[in-house]
């Protein structure tokens, strides 16, 4: 009888046992090159276990399952564990999402866990671990051409992956693309990766050039270059051999980082800096060239202001010509014929002004100056163009009636050109016949309008109540208005770089809020891309939209010409218009 009572108590105790299902991680802060262990632990034998998606991580092992059961002092305990090993794909705050199980018809979920991923860290290794071989024979190096440049002096960063002859590389991918804050940057395309041999740390290695970047620092001081991190699948030799005597290779995964670099940028000297200096650094030639100098009535000419040479070609502005009032000059068309290599930018930039003369005569265009900082002599140089004389052979004569001190008899005379007559200064006004207001059409109209307005007021009130009740619709309309408002603000600020890009970025964000029904906290690049593609937006349009949004942040700190800003505005209008049609 006692035995049955004990079994009954144990069974009753089991019924009262609380179901526990939780997620545990080996650490909550880890480096980009460290592994993370995640355990999903339950105290019951649940069914239909569903693992989370592990967004932001690479699954390298798992799931492995462990089950343990024990009896202690008449009490039973049960534990079941699903284990995974993960590698983070990016820096930042990542979340281990919920896993689920079913037990007795109920669904149980784990709580999400936040994990903070930092830059790659140094890790102590067991000398017997095969990954030590990878550590000592695979290196990612950033070769920087100059560590102490001037502002706007080009430097190059070449990323090379060195690996010894006994290590094989299967595949690799970038984990984090470095952001070059406070630099103007340009990637140099590498058409094909080629393995070469070279010396590294006094030994022969093979290496591959993975990435080439040209940087122009935009401000003086200590500027940081973020590290490039890569995920590499490698083949490592082991101490074992197969039946044919060949060495057995072990496949492994390796995270490598080039490490952060600090560049000390020198300010351009203030001594001798010209007043018209606009930031040009390099070696240049300056020309002002008219397409013609002799014109007939009705003809026009193009005045081309150009700079050729080698330097920061896209990061300075050209001087503007000053012409007499008798010449009408239109806004310039900006042209860039610039190529970028490891040596920096070179080519030609020009502004093309169309000039239309109004009168016959000879009109000089004053000499223009262009100043730049010469890196060779480390001094400022100024180039002055020659005066351009424009001869208009035919057309009306520019004559004006001058008002003299003695002309007191006609003080109200209006100076005019030949083709205009004098303005008549006096007139006689004749009053119209006055009609009585009482009994007029206006009287009866004002009398009955309030009664006619009552139905309209009732309809308007009902419409307003319906609109006020539509919370989602109001938010969409508000975001649409904000997008148009900031796009208009960007157009007004098109000559002010930083306010322009701030307004343009806000316009694009509010357009997304209106069209995708999302908030600012949900605006990650991956989420935006996924939602736009779900709404049948074209992949090219989505890529252009995201690229332009990222460019707004970078362009705030990089000098930009008015033509570049105009191109970004036109591009934004086209992209938003196309997405408006597609979604």
């Amino acid at each position: 009888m006692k035995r049955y009572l004990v079994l009954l108590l144990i069974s009753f105790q089991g019924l009262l046992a609380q179901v526990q299902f939780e997620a545990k991680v080996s650490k909550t802060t880890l480096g980009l090159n460290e592994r993370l262990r995640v355990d999903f632990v339950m105290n019951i034998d649940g069914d239909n276990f569903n693992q989370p998606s592990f967004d932001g991580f690479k699954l390298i092992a798992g799931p492995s399952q462990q089950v343990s059961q024990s009896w202690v002092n008449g009490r039973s305990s049960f534990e079941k564990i699903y284990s995974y090993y993960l590698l983070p794909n990016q820096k930042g705050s990542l979340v281990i999402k919920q896993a689920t199980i079913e037990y007795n018809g109920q669904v149980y979920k784990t709580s999400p866990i936040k994990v903070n991923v930092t830059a790659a860290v140094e890790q102590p290794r067991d000398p017997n671990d095969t990954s030590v071989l990878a550590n000592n024979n695979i290196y990612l190096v950033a070769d920087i051409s100059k560590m102490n440049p001037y502002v706007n002096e080009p430097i190059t960063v070449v990323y090379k992956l060195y690996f010894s002859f006994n290590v094989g590389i299967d595949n690799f991918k970038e984990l984090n693309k470095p952001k070059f804050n406070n630099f103007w940057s340009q990637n140099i395309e590498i058409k094909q990766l080629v393995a070469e041999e070279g010396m590294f740390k006094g030994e022969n290695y093979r290496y591959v050039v993975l990435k080439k970047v040209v940087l122009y620092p935009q401000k003086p001081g200590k500027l940081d270059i973020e590290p490039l991190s890569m995920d590499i699948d490698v083949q490592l030799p082991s101490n074992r051999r197969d039946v044919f005597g060949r060495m057995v290779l072990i496949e492994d995964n390796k995270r490598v980082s080039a490490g952060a670099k600090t560049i000390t940028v020198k300010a351009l000297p203030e001594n001798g800096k010209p007043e018209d200096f606009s930031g040009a650094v390099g070696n240049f030639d300056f020309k002002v060239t008219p397409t013609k100098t002799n014109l007939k009535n009705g003809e026009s000419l193009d005045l081309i202001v150009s700079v050729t040479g080698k330097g920061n070609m896209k990061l300075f502005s050209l001087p503007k010509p000053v012409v007499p009032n008798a010449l009408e000059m239109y806004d310039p068309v900006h042209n860039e014929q610039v190529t970028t290599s490891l040596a920096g930018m070179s080519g030609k930039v020009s502004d093309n002004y169309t000039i239309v003369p109004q009168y016959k005569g000879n009109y000089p265009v004053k000499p223009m100056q262009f100043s730049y900082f010469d890196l060779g002599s480390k001094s400022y140089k100024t180039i002055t163009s020659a005066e351009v004389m424009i001869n208009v052979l035919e057309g009306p004569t520019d004559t004006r009636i001058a008002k003299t001190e003695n002309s007191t008899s006609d003080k109200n005379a209006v100076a005019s050109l030949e083709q205009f007559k004098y303005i008549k200064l006096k007139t006689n006004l004749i009053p119209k016949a006055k009609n009585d207001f009482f009994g007029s059409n206006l009287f009866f109209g004002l009398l009955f309008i309030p009664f006619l307005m009552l139905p309209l007021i009732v309809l308007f009130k009902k419409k307003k109540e319906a609109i006020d009740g539509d919370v989602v619709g109001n938010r969409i309309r508000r975001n649409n208005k904000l997008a148009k408002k900031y796009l208009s603000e960007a157009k007004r600020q098109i000559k002010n770089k930083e306010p322009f890009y701030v307004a343009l970025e806000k316009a694009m964000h509010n357009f997304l809020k209106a069209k995708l029904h999302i908030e600012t906290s949900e605006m990650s690049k991956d989420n935006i891309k996924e939602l736009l593609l779900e709404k049948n937006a074209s992949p090219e349009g989505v890529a252009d939209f995201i690229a332009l949004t990222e460019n707004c942040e970078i362009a705030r700190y990089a000098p930009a010409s008015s033509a570049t800003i105009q191109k970004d505005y036109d591009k934004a209008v086209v992209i938003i218009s196309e997405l408006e049609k597609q979604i």
Side-chain angles (χ1 to χ4, degrees):
M1 185 63 181
K2 292 182 179 179
R3 184 163 58 101
Y4 291 115
L5 182 60
V6 170
L7 292 175
L8 180 61
L9 289 174
I10 292 172
S11 300
F12 181 72
Q13 188 178 33
L15 290 174
L16 294 178
Q18 184 178 6
V19 175
Q20 295 180 354
F21 181 43
E22 60 180 345
K24 298 179 180 179
V25 294
S26 57
K27 56 180 72 177
T28 56
T29 300
L30 69 156
L32 189 61
N33 58 332
E34 292 186 297
R35 300 185 182 188
L36 177 70
R37 174 173 172 166
V38 183
D39 293 330
F40 298 98
V41 184
M42 63 193 78
N43 66 341
I44 43 85
D45 192 6
D47 299 322
N48 298 327
F49 171 75
N50 290 318
Q51 69 185 47
S53 59
F54 298 122
D55 294 335
F57 292 91
K58 177 181 179 181
L59 179 62
I60 58 174
S64 61
Q65 181 177 324
Q66 304 175 37
V67 177
S68 62
Q69 188 170 7
S70 62
W71 289 79
V72 179
N73 296 329
R75 292 188 177 184
S76 67
S77 64
F78 177 86
E79 186 176 68
K80 189 175 184 179
I81 303 174
Y82 289 93
S83 299
Y84 298 83
Y85 287 90
L86 310 175
L87 270 175
N89 287 329
Q90 62 193 60
K91 293 190 296 183
S93 180
L94 303 180
V95 177
I96 304 295
K97 298 181 179 179
Q98 294 177 316
T100 62
I101 59 168
E102 293 181 10
Y103 183 70
N104 288 339
Q106 296 289 327
V107 176
Y108 297 89
K109 299 179 180 180
T110 61
S111 297
I113 300 178
K114 289 187 178 180
V115 177
N116 184 38
V117 181
T118 64
V121 297
E122 293 290 337
Q123 300 182 73
R125 292 285 190 176
D126 181 359
N128 298 320
D129 190 352
T130 56
S131 61
V132 173
L133 180 61
N135 286 344
N136 296 331
N137 290 278
I138 299 178
Y139 301 91
L140 182 60
V141 177
D143 287 339
I144 300 178
S145 62
K146 193 169 188 178
M147 301 298 292
N148 189 26
Y150 281 102
V151 171
N152 270 318
E153 180 181 359
I155 62 174
T156 59
V157 183
V158 179
Y159 293 96
K160 297 179 180 179
L161 180 66
Y162 285 91
F163 53 99
S164 62
F165 288 89
N166 60 345
V167 174
I169 304 293
D170 282 345
N171 190 23
F172 55 83
K173 67 176 181 179
E174 291 185 10
L175 294 176
N176 274 345
K177 294 184 179 180
K179 294 180 180 179
F180 304 104
N181 295 325
N182 299 312
F183 290 92
W184 183 93
S185 62
Q186 175 69 55
N187 286 323
I188 305 299
E189 181 183 2
I190 299 177
K191 296 182 179 180
Q192 185 177 2
L193 298 179
V194 178
E196 302 179 51
E197 294 185 11
M199 296 295 294
F200 181 71
K201 292 187 175 182
E203 298 181 7
N204 287 324
Y205 274 80
R206 289 182 295 172
Y207 70 91
V208 175
V209 176
L210 301 177
K211 192 180 184 72
K212 299 178 181 179
V213 186
V214 177
L215 302 178
Y216 285 83
Q218 296 302 295
K219 70 176 187 180
K222 293 186 180 296
L223 304 183
D224 293 329
I225 297 178
E226 295 184 1
L228 171 67
S229 298
M230 303 197 69
D231 183 84
I232 304 174
D233 294 330
V234 298
Q235 291 181 339
L236 305 172
S238 67
N239 295 326
R240 295 181 288 112
R241 297 183 179 273
D242 58 17
V243 294
F244 301 103
R246 294 174 301 190
M247 183 178 294
V248 176
L249 298 179
I250 300 175
E251 294 186 355
D252 199 358
N253 179 271
K254 174 66 179 172
R255 295 286 176 93
V256 292
S257 174
K261 304 292 183 182
T262 299
I263 307 297
T264 304
V265 182
K266 297 181 291 187
L268 296 175
E270 292 296 327
N271 185 26
K273 180 183 290 187
E275 293 183 0
D276 62 341
F277 178 69
S278 62
V281 176
N283 189 7
F284 305 103
D285 187 22
F286 174 66
K287 291 183 179 180
V288 178
T289 309
T291 54
K292 60 177 74 173
T293 55
N294 297 320
L295 294 86
K296 297 180 181 180
N297 185 27
E299 292 183 336
S300 64
L301 65 91
D302 289 338
L303 189 67
I304 302 172
V305 180
S306 64
V307 170
T308 58
K310 180 180 177 182
N312 58 334
M313 303 295 296
K314 299 181 180 181
L315 304 178
F316 58 81
S317 57
L318 297 173
K320 184 176 181 179
V322 177
V323 299
N325 293 334
L327 301 178
E328 184 176 2
M329 184 173 69
Y330 293 87
D331 290 338
V333 176
H334 186 75
N335 294 308
E336 293 181 354
Q337 299 174 354
V338 179
T339 59
T340 305
S341 65
L342 282 180
M345 288 185 280
S346 61
K348 177 180 179 181
V349 293
S350 63
D351 286 340
N352 192 336
Y353 294 86
T354 298
I355 297 177
V356 180
Q358 303 296 308
Y359 306 103
K360 180 174 64 176
N362 299 326
Y363 303 100
V365 177
K366 296 180 180 180
M368 300 170 59
Q369 290 185 337
F370 174 75
S371 300
Y372 66 94
F373 182 76
D374 183 20
L375 292 170
S377 61
K378 294 182 174 52
S379 62
Y380 292 98
K381 293 186 178 181
T382 299
I383 303 175
T384 303
S385 67
E387 181 180 82
V388 177
M389 182 64 69
I390 299 175
N391 304 314
V392 183
L393 305 178
E394 298 177 1
T397 303
D398 185 10
T399 61
R400 306 177 188 273
I401 299 176
K403 182 170 65 176
T404 65
E405 295 180 356
N406 298 326
S407 60
T408 57
S409 61
D410 191 13
K411 294 182 180 180
N412 294 325
V414 180
S416 68
L417 302 178
E418 287 183 346
Q419 60 265 41
F420 294 101
K421 295 182 179 180
Y422 286 101
I423 298 174
K424 188 175 182 180
L425 301 177
K426 293 182 180 180
T427 185
N428 295 321
L429 300 177
I430 301 174
K432 291 184 177 180
K434 184 178 180 182
N435 297 324
D436 291 333
F437 174 69
F438 185 78
S440 65
N441 293 334
L442 179 60
F443 171 81
F444 288 108
L446 295 175
L447 180 64
F448 291 107
I449 279 176
F451 299 99
L452 297 175
M453 290 291 291
L454 286 176
L456 296 177
I457 293 173
V458 173
L459 291 175
F460 175 79
K461 185 177 180 181
K462 290 183 178 181
K463 181 68 174 177
K464 186 175 184 303
E465 289 175 352
I467 292 175
D468 292 341
D470 184 10
V471 178
V472 176
N474 286 336
R475 186 169 69 245
I476 294 172
R477 285 187 287 272
R478 183 172 65 252
N479 289 331
N480 263 325
K481 288 181 181 178
L482 287 173
K484 294 177 181 178
K485 171 186 174 182
Y486 285 120
L487 198 58
S488 299
E489 178 66 18
K491 187 175 182 179
R492 286 195 298 269
Q493 298 290 346
I494 206 162
K495 293 185 179 180
N496 301 316
K497 180 193 67 176
E498 188 166 349
F500 166 80
Y501 282 109
V502 170
L504 185 61
E505 186 175 15
K506 289 182 178 179
M508 300 181 76
H509 282 180
N510 281 285
F511 172 78
L512 286 180
K513 290 181 181 179
K515 295 303 177 185
L516 302 182
H517 307 167
I518 60 176
E519 296 300 328
T520 303
S521 60
E522 300 172 287
M523 284 191 184
S524 67
K525 182 173 70 174
D526 293 337
N527 192 30
I528 292 172
K529 182 176 180 181
E530 180 180 355
L531 291 174
L532 286 174
L533 292 176
E534 285 179 359
K535 288 184 174 290
N536 298 323
S538 66
E540 295 81 7
V542 173
D544 291 341
F545 188 93
I546 293 174
L548 184 57
T549 304
E550 294 176 343
N551 185 51
C552 287
E553 179 67 21
I554 300 172
R556 290 187 206 173
Y557 306 101
S561 65
S562 59
T564 304
I565 295 175
Q566 181 66 50
K567 287 180 181 178
D568 286 343
Y569 174 80
D570 294 340
K571 186 184 295 183
V573 172
V574 171
I575 292 173
I576 290 176
S577 299
E578 290 299 321
L579 291 178
E580 182 77 28
K581 296 175 185 177
Q582 295 171 5
I583 64 176

